[in-house]
Amino acid sequence: MAGDSGGRAGSGYFVQSVARALSVLRTFTAERRAQSLSDVARETGLDRATTRRLLLTLVDLGYVAVDGNSFSLTPRVLEFGYAYLSAMSLPELAHPHLQALAGELNETAALAELDGDEVVYLALVPSRRLAAVKINIGTRFDAYATSMGRVLLAGLPEVELEARLERLQLPRRTERTVRDVAALRAEIARVREQGWALVDSELEEGLRGAAVPVRDRAGRVVAAANVSVHADRTTPALVEREYIPVVLRTAKLIEADLIAGVGQRDTTGQPDR
């Protein structure tokens, strides 16, 4: 029942009217966007007179709208969510979405940002399938050899990208590691065009990674989200067809929370100066 107070009503500080008002708000769902007084009373277990007073108070405060006999929430209720999200950093915002991504694909999911010529892991949900690969929050890899790195490089302004490529060294990590700057530049151009990157056994033999950009409200690439899989369980075509769409969807969810919650904060959660 929506009006259940969880057994705390006997405490000395408990304000029953607050609990009842919140129980009224919680009755509104995607399936019950508009409700009558009787609907809300039934869902909360409160009598009609109490329910009416609570609803009309919420109308006066701007959290509920009334149209005839129908009540519905107003956008003002989003203030509560914004206040919560604005106190969170990008890794905190991303983590539940990465958990969902890892759970859906049963693979390791991560978020990283560009730091110099390296990617640094900001958030990580590991999978037992990738237990042999030692990755932790704070782990760094050369950006050129990773899917997240190529997404982040592709998000740089052209002048900055070229400056980085001119000084970049490309040590070979595996037989498949990109061999020269011209080939890397072409790969980054392809990533920009298609909106995602797929790197196959260039960082470590048998490790395949797929990444997509995470953008802020200004459209700037501030991070990359990815999944890492063993090459012997997948093919590039399978990853492109079945994995990348899920990672793209996850990035959109992270972006939505970031845009809603960051406000005047940067991506690390620190106030803008």
Side-chain angles (χ1 to χ4, degrees), residues 5-19:
S5 62
R8 294 180 294 273
S11 64
Y13 60 83
F14 193 86
V15 181
Q16 190 176 58
S17 59
V18 175

Side-chain angles (χ1 to χ4, degrees), residues 105-125:
L105 297 180
N106 197 21
E107 303 288 359
T108 294
L111 184 84
E113 67 178 1
L114 192 63
D115 185 19
D117 294 330
E118 298 176 317
V119 295
V120 56
Y121 280 69
L122 302 178
L124 178 70
V125 180

